[in-house]
């Protein structure tokens, strides 16, 4: 395996290792803000705030906006996918746990990636599916099943507590959230 391929794989693994932390922090942010969609918006705003100075630091040229009129319709779906992923992560991670959620995400990514590769969708060069790749995806699906099977289920009361939010705002009286945030828990009178 060439050194650049190994380096690319390591960078991809590092980037992937950040995803469970993103899911967990967004889930906590959704509880603090009182609704998961507010956490989605805040997360995307933080992303934009980090990308803008990076564009400047890397001296990226101005976007070629004239090309947008001729771009295929699906170029806009990346943002939709981001909202779906972030919202699902912050709703489902507290219910499923980080490992269970992420293993399902990886399984879904692999299934759709195989279709994209095989048919050369979205402008990518076709990479035909062969038995080795199918076996690899089946092993991932088997791994997903094993992770789900051996993940202890959350008692119904704890699941309801982690899934519900105070619709009037942040859960100020939620001692488990305050404890997780490292703050002293307080109760309302």
């Amino acid at each position: 395996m060439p050194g650049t391929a190994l380096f690319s794989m390591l960078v991809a693994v590092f980037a992937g290792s950040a995803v469970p932390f993103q899911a967990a922090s967004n889930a906590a942010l959704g509880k603090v803000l009182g609704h998961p969609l507010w956490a989605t918006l805040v997360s995307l705003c933080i992303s934009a705030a980090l990308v803008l100075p990076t564009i400047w630091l890397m001296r990226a040229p101005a976007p070629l906006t004239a090309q947008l009129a001729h771009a295929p319709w699906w170029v806009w779906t990346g943002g939709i996918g981001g909202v779906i992923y972030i919202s699902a992560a912050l709703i489902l991670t507290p219910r499923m746990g980080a490992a269970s959620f992420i293993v399902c995400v990886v399984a879904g990514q692999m299934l759709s990636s195989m279709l994209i590769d095989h048919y050369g969708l979205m402008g990518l060069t076709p990479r035909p599916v062969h038995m080795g790749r199918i076996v690899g995806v089946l092993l991932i699906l088997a791994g997903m099943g094993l992770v789900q099977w051996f993940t202890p289920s959350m008692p119904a009361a704890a699941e309801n507590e982690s899934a519900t939010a105070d619709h009037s705002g942040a859960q100020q009286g939620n001692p488990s959230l305050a404890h997780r945030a490292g703050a002293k828990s307080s109760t309302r009178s």
Side-chain angles (χ1 to χ4, degrees):
M1 176 181 316
T4 56
L6 179 61
F7 178 74
S8 296
M9 289 171 58
L10 291 174
V11 170
V13 168
F14 175 74
S17 71
V19 172
F21 293 100
Q22 177 193 26
S25 66
N26 282 342
L29 182 61
K31 287 181 182 180
V32 169
L33 294 175
H35 196 280
L37 292 177
W38 286 117
T40 300
L41 179 64
V42 169
S43 179
L44 293 171
C45 288
I46 290 170
S47 295
L50 291 173
V51 166
L52 290 172
T54 304
I55 289 171
W56 180 77
L57 286 170
M58 295 186 73
R59 293 181 170 83
L64 305 173
T65 55
Q67 303 287 342
L68 287 177
H70 306 292
W73 65 269
W74 46 260
V75 298
W76 302 102
T77 61
I80 295 168
V83 169
I84 291 169
Y85 170 75
I86 292 171
S87 298
L90 61 92
I91 292 168
L92 296 176
T93 299
R95 293 179 185 173
M96 299 174 70
S100 291
F101 174 73
I102 293 300
V103 76
C104 292
V105 167
V106 169
Q109 288 173 333
M110 289 307 303
L111 291 170
S112 60
S113 296
M114 293 284 279
L115 288 173
I116 290 168
D117 274 357
H118 185 74
Y119 294 105
L121 302 176
M122 305 184 99
L124 296 179
T125 303
R127 289 185 168 87
V129 173
H130 51 72
M131 189 51 101
R133 295 180 85 192
I134 291 171
V135 169
V137 170
L138 289 174
L139 288 171
I140 289 171
L141 292 173
M144 180 187 74
L146 287 171
V147 168
Q148 298 304 325
W149 182 266
F150 289 105
T151 297
S153 61
M154 184 185 299
E159 183 175 328
N160 288 336
E161 180 183 317
S162 87
T164 58
D166 179 5
H167 297 292
S168 65
Q171 290 188 347
Q172 298 159 346
N174 185 337
S176 70
L177 182 60
H179 174 71
R180 284 186 213 137
K184 292 182 181 178
S185 63
S186 63
T187 58
R188 289 190 233 183
S189 49

